[in-house]
Amino acid sequence: MDARAINAQLRRGETPGENALRWFAEGLASGAVSDAQAGAFAMAVCLQGLSVEGRRALTLAMRDTGDVLEWDLDGPVLDKHSTGGVGDCVSLLLAPALAACGAYVPMISGRGLGHTGGTLDKLEAIPGVSIQVSEDRLRGMLQDVGCAIVGATAQIAPADKRLYAIRDVTATVESVDLITASILSKKLAASPDALVLDVKIGSGAFMKTADEARALAQSLCDTANAAGCKTSALITDMNQPLAPALGNALEVAEVMRVLTGDASGPLAEISAVLGGELLAHAGLAADTAAGAAKITATLTDGRAADRFARMIAALGGPADFTASWQDDLPGAEVTREVKAPSAGHVAAMNGEALGLAVVSLGGGRMVESDRIHPGVGISDIVRLGQHVGAGDTLARIHAASDDAADMAEAAFLAAVSIGEAPDTLPPLVHERIS
């Protein structure tokens, strides 16, 4: 087969057959497909799309380029994935909370993509943490801790690792077909018994409209359930940051505040809702409401914090991160308050613009080789509907220089509208897809 012929088919709006897609996936993994051919493939799929069957075939082909894990554990194996947003650090709460409820969570996560932060980048903001572990080490962590948030090894969906990086720098992130194949090739390689998908909608999400989010959620659910994994999806709001902070260390700090004293607010609430879905799927709760209550209990009584601290130590981080996190997390060289230019209510936020401002600060990557500054970002962000007076603090900028802080301050003020109070505030959960 020939990558040029496959790309030509895609350019014409035709879906290549299962064997052709499997060949291309294997070529991504082996290097037989060049970066230029991979970029052309991603762009053609983004513009022309695949058929439903083609999407399923590409997903399974990418999964099968590496190992498919098998487990022998005394509880269900559960997993969660978010399609990406700003201030979304739910995985860092949910994995240890599920483990405290009796589940095992081998969460193979990714890095920042486009304007969104990456779970692995957030973990690596913790000094000493290394997210690349061997399969034996992953199994050991599950036995000892119950959860492990790690990067995909070279043996897990290597085709996706290659294509994922190319999508980030070729403006092909938003494709439903490529998102489905990327997420599920890794998630299905971990062989979970149940999976919940957090599909974001709104200004800070890749999916801006209800139709786009619903299409992606249905695509993910259909593909995963067809592969034998019990899966549901929640369409959740991303018209404002989920946590009141953007940036790697700043988001870890928000996680620690929930784990060590304040299990309330949108971040804790959505973690409970997603966890409730999984516990109900796995038979660890009578229904989703009972499951959500169990998750909340682990966040308030310290059990989730204990699991998180043990996971961080197992990944090479501080021995007791729950006690030392305020001293351990890196900061930025410059901190500056953003003041409201006028009085009024926070009427709207451009979440994507806020995310890109953090990337420009050095909190994400413009190209694959960029190094991340873990301490930069934006914290103490106001909420939609909140009333502010002229001169009140809207947020705090954490930057590496005064010039970078100037840029971020201007970007923040351009992204946040102060005016009349919104007629209604968006719900945290818009819809459930099964």
Side-chain angles (χ1 to χ4, degrees):
M1 293 187 184
D2 184 347
R4 292 170 297 180
I6 292 171
N7 284 335
Q9 274 189 282
L10 290 166
R11 189 186 65 231
R12 295 192 298 267
E14 304 168 5
T15 295
E18 181 175 351
N19 289 339
L21 290 171
R22 186 165 291 276
W23 179 90
F24 200 94
E26 290 170 353
L28 285 169
S30 69
V33 169
S34 71
D35 284 352
Q37 290 167 333
F41 177 89
M43 186 61 74
V45 172
C46 191
L47 293 175
Q48 297 286 14
L50 296 172
S51 66
V52 173
E53 187 57 33
R55 185 185 303 150
R56 183 198 65 81
L58 178 62
T59 299
L60 296 181
M62 288 171 60
R63 178 198 68 180
D64 292 343
T65 58
D67 295 340
V68 178
L69 303 177
E70 296 181 358
W71 308 105
D72 183 18
L73 299 165
D74 59 2
V77 176
L78 306 180
D79 203 356
K80 164 264 178 190
H81 186 84
S82 168
T83 56
V86 289
D88 178 9
C89 38
V90 167
S91 293
L92 302 185
L93 287 173
L94 187 54
L98 288 167
C101 290
Y104 292 93
V105 189
M107 193 175 283
I108 297 172
S109 296
R111 298 195 178 277
L113 192 63
H115 66 278
T116 67
T119 297
L120 299 182
D121 298 323
K122 294 165 193 176
L123 275 178
E124 286 184 331
I126 302 171
V129 164
S130 174
I131 49 74
Q132 293 299 337
V133 303
S134 66
E135 183 180 328
D136 286 344
R137 185 70 186 118
L138 172 61
R139 293 182 183 278
M141 287 183 65
L142 287 185
Q143 291 285 359
D144 295 341
V145 182
C147 61
I149 303 176
V150 298
T153 68
Q155 290 75 42
I156 297 293
D160 176 67
K161 185 175 183 180
R162 177 109 181 278
L163 192 58
Y164 191 96
I166 287 169
R167 287 168 57 215
D168 193 22
V169 295
T170 55
T172 55
V173 168
E174 291 86 350
S175 163
V176 168
D177 301 302
L178 296 178
I179 293 171
T180 298
S182 177
I183 292 170
L184 294 181
S185 62
K186 296 189 294 285
K187 292 300 178 183
L188 296 178
S191 301
D193 297 306
L195 174 65
V196 68
L197 297 152
D198 184 1
V199 178
K200 301 297 187 184
I201 180 175
S203 67
F206 292 117
M207 304 294 118
K208 307 299 186 189
T209 69
D211 286 345
E212 290 174 329
R214 194 175 297 115
L216 177 57
Q218 198 66 64
S219 170
L220 289 163
C221 286
D222 289 348
T223 303
N225 280 296
C229 177
K230 187 178 292 186
T231 303
S232 60
L234 297 180
I235 298 176
T236 67
D237 192 68
M238 191 43 69
N239 285 297
Q240 60 183 324
L242 185 59
L246 310 179
N248 297 302
L250 294 170
E251 291 183 50
V252 173
E254 293 301 325
V255 168
M256 298 313 299
R257 291 187 181 98
V258 173
L259 288 173
T260 60
D262 187 13
S264 62
L267 182 58
E269 183 179 343
I270 196 63
S271 298
V273 173
L274 292 164
E277 287 276 319
L278 283 170
L279 294 180
H281 282 326
L284 294 177
D287 53 33
T288 57
K294 285 190 170 188
I295 295 294
T296 298
T298 73
L299 298 177
T300 56
D301 65 16
R303 285 179 291 152
D306 175 67
R307 298 279 181 156
F308 186 77
R310 289 162 59 191
M311 181 182 74
I312 294 303
L315 291 171
D320 188 5
F321 188 62
T322 54
S324 62
W325 64 272
Q326 290 177 313
D327 296 324
D328 291 331
L329 288 173
E333 291 77 2
V334 175
T335 303
R336 179 185 302 174
E337 293 184 348
V338 181
K339 302 295 187 179
S342 59
H345 290 82
V346 181
M349 291 187 183
N350 184 334
E352 183 172 356
L354 293 177
L356 290 173
V358 173
V359 173
S360 295
L361 282 168
R365 297 177 183 84
M366 300 294 289
V367 296
E368 296 166 55
S369 59
D370 282 352
R371 295 189 65 180
I372 285 179
H373 186 320
V376 301
I378 307 172
S379 70
D380 303 286
I381 300 169
V382 292
R383 303 294 295 173
L384 284 177
Q386 182 175 332
H387 183 269
V388 295
D392 284 354
T393 299
L394 298 177
R396 286 182 173 82
I397 304 295
H398 303 253
S401 68
D402 285 321
D403 287 345
D406 289 342
M407 176 278 301
E409 181 177 5
F412 187 92
L413 290 171
V416 176
S417 300
I418 306 296
E420 297 293 325
D423 292 335
T424 59
L425 293 175
L428 191 58
V429 178
H430 289 257
E431 190 175 342
R432 181 183 186 275
I433 304 290
S434 63

